């Protein structure tokens, strides 16, 4: 990171040309997004704590970034160039998070390699204490992410549907790169995403559901508010793509599995195929009751769609047989085929 107060004088003054230039280049192709995100991060760190016109360099960077982002959020139609900027912003958040992790790792390594106190006859290891709490360290990237999320949450209530959609898209793409965030912001994020899963636009419901699914690990209760909202969508949303997004992303645990298995009877054949081809294979069939195994296989093998039937057979041959240690006798006995009707 650039030393405090050592930023080149022209760095901040060049923001209004450099950032728009990066945004413009990023609209043409997603191939160079990683390079553009790294360039933005470098510029952000150079601007850190540089005073100009009553603003710090950090504030000036944030203001110019949001100004350029607003141009994209305000576009009223689907536009490929706008979609590319959405992905650029998510990549920028990801790069900042990765840089913070690297810096934390360097600090810990330095702590481990530091010389021990020669007067410490007990040889106590203080390196852990030296880095204790670093996971919550305040950085220019973490501050930017909190500012960005709070700003995007305002867009969740925008009258224009494309604005709501793009705000939800950025949040959904960025959630896994948030790191440690303020507890109040975390609960506000859950609250407003839960509201968006009831949006009249299916695309917004879908991205809100994807974002919510990435916050499930923060719930102490498996049947908490996030899980309840997702399962409600899985059972009742009229749009097949929304149900599919939840099916693929909802956390699989004893509380959610019964609802996941119900998708074997989903009205959409793609969702039924997805269940057998993508959702169930990583799950050990021993976690299901014999009754659930039989109902699942009966639904799949007898499905009216040939693609679903093939997906079910593939699940048995590639996944379930593997969990049975390639022992066909063990697999058949676990299905209780002798007593099955």
């Amino acid at each position: 990171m650039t030393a405090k107060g050592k930023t080149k004088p022209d760095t901040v003054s060049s923001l209004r040309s450099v950032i728009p230039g990066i945004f413009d280049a990023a609209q043409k192709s997603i191939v160079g997004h990683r390079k553009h995100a790294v360039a933005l991060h470098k510029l952000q760190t150079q601007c850190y704590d540089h005073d100009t016109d009553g603003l710090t360099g950090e504030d000036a960077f944030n203001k110019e970034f949001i100004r350029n982002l607003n141009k994209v959020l305000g576009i009223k139609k689907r536009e490929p160039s706008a979609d590319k900027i959405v992905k650029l912003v998510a990549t920028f958040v990801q790069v900042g998070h990765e840089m913070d992790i690297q810096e934390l790792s360097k600090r810990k390594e330095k702590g481990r390699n530091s010389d021990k106190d020669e007067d410490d006859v007990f040889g106590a290891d203080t390196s852990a204490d030296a880095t204790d709490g670093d996971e919550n360290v305040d950085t220019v990237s973490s501050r930017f992410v909190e500012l960005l999320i709070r700003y995007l949450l305002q867009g969740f209530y925008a009258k224009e549907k494309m604005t709501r959609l793009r705000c939800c898209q950025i949040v959904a793409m960025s959630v896994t790169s948030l790191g440690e965030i303020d507890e109040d912001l975390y609960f506000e994020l859950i609250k407003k995403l839960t509201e968006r899963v009831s949006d009249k636009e299916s695309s917004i419901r879908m991205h809100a559901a994807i974002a919510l699914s990435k916050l499930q690990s923060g719930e102490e209760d498996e049947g908490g508010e996030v899980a309840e909202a997702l399962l409600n969508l899985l059972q009742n949303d009229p749009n097949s793509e929304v149900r599919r997004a939840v099916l693929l992303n909802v956390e699989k645990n004893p509380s959610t599995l019964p609802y996941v298995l119900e998708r074997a009877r989903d009205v959409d054949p793609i969702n039924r195929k997805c269940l057998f081809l993508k959702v169930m294979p990583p799950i050990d069939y021993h976690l299901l009751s014999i009754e659930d195994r039989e109902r699942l296989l009966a639904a799949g093998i007898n499905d009216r769609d040939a693609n679903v039937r093939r997906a079910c057979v593939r699940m048995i041959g590639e996944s379930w047989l593997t969990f049975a240690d390639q022992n066909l006798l063990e697999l058949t006995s676990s299905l209780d085929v002798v007593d099955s009707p």
Side-chain angles (χ1 to χ4, degrees):
M1 182 177 290
T2 306
K4 186 175 180 179
K6 297 296 184 180
T7 308
K8 294 180 180 180
D10 61 345
T11 300
V12 174
S13 61
S14 67
L15 287 175
R16 289 184 70 89
S17 61
V18 177
I19 292 181
I22 293 176
F23 270 62
D24 183 60
Q27 293 180 53
K28 299 173 182 177
S29 172
I30 64 172
V31 176
H33 273 192
R34 177 79 185 183
K35 180 183 70 174
H36 296 316
V38 170
L40 281 170
H41 181 74
K42 182 178 180 181
L43 183 63
Q44 183 185 45
T45 55
Q46 288 175 343
C47 289
Y48 170 64
D49 207 25
H50 180 69
D51 293 326
T52 178
D53 296 330
L55 289 175
T56 65
E58 181 178 341
D59 289 336
F61 176 91
N62 293 343
K63 183 177 180 180
E64 182 60 22
F65 190 97
I66 295 297
R67 188 182 74 85
N68 283 271
L69 178 59
N70 282 340
K71 296 178 181 180
V72 175
L73 296 179
I75 298 176
K76 296 184 179 181
K77 297 181 181 179
R78 281 195 173 274
E79 181 66 45
S81 60
D83 294 337
K84 292 184 179 69
I85 295 300
V86 166
K87 293 177 182 177
L88 170 69
V89 176
T91 304
F92 175 52
V93 171
Q94 179 185 2
V95 166
H97 182 56
E98 291 172 358
M99 295 296 184
D100 285 349
I101 292 176
Q102 289 178 16
E103 181 63 27
L104 174 61
S105 179
K106 289 178 182 178
R107 290 184 188 182
K108 288 185 175 181
E109 186 64 27
K110 184 177 180 180
R112 285 192 292 266
N113 294 334
S114 60
D115 294 333
K116 294 182 179 180
D117 187 348
E118 294 181 357
D119 295 329
D120 184 3
V121 296
F122 296 108
D125 183 7
T126 59
S127 61
D129 295 333
T131 57
D132 185 37
D134 273 359
E135 286 80 356
N136 299 321
V137 68
D138 184 44
T139 68
V140 63
S141 295
S142 66
R143 290 192 296 272
F144 171 80
V145 168
E146 291 206 13
L147 177 144
L148 177 65
I149 294 299
R150 291 184 190 280
Y151 184 73
L152 292 173
L153 288 179
Q154 298 177 49
F156 279 25
Y157 301 105
K159 182 178 180 180
E160 176 54 49
K161 66 180 181 181
M162 293 307 300
T163 300
R164 299 199 307 277
L165 173 61
R166 293 189 182 108
C167 288
C168 280
Q169 284 178 319
I170 296 174
V171 170
M173 292 179 185
S174 304
V175 164
T176 53
S177 302
L178 291 184
E180 293 290 337
I181 62 173
D182 179 75
E183 184 175 330
D184 291 338
L185 177 58
Y186 172 78
F187 287 113
E188 183 182 4
L189 185 57
I190 288 180
K191 177 179 180 292
K192 293 188 175 180
L193 283 171
T194 303
E195 293 173 354
R196 282 309 99 204
V197 297
S198 299
D199 197 283
K200 62 182 180 181
E201 298 294 331
S202 60
S203 57
I204 296 174
R205 297 199 304 273
M206 182 179 71
H207 284 93
I210 292 173
L212 265 182
S213 68
K214 296 175 181 177
L215 296 171
Q216 293 171 97
S217 58
E219 287 195 309
E220 296 181 1
D221 184 3
E222 288 184 352
E225 180 183 1
V226 172
E228 182 180 349
L230 292 173
L231 294 177
N232 181 58
L233 284 177
L234 187 61
Q235 284 189 300
N236 303 311
D237 198 281
N239 185 276
S240 62
E241 292 185 359
V242 175
R243 297 196 305 276
R244 191 179 313 139
V246 178
L247 178 63
L248 290 170
N249 292 285
V250 70
E251 191 173 277
K252 311 306 185 294
N253 57 50
S255 296
T256 62
L257 266 179
Y259 300 92
V260 169
L261 295 176
E262 287 179 357
R263 292 308 97 201
R265 298 291 186 183
D266 196 286
V267 295
D268 184 76
I270 297 178
N271 285 355
R272 300 196 302 273
K273 177 183 175 182
C274 184
L275 174 69
F276 291 106
L277 204 59
K278 296 182 178 181
V279 178
M280 295 308 300
I283 301 174
D284 189 341
Y285 70 88
H286 292 100
L287 297 175
L288 309 179
S289 67
I290 292 179
E291 293 77 10
D292 283 339
R293 299 171 202 169
E294 292 177 348
R295 279 196 292 267
L296 181 64
L297 294 186
I301 293 174
N302 297 314
D303 198 281
R304 59 184 178 274
D305 190 292
N307 291 324
V308 178
R309 295 196 298 271
R310 282 192 289 267
C312 180
V313 171
R314 181 175 173 180
M315 179 193 71
I316 298 170
E318 295 183 3
S319 173
W320 285 23
L321 193 56
T322 299
F323 284 120
D325 296 324
Q326 303 300 323
N327 188 326
L328 186 58
L329 182 60
E330 179 184 333
L331 178 59
T332 54
S333 63
S334 68
L335 298 176
D336 199 17
V337 294
V338 175
D339 296 328
S340 298

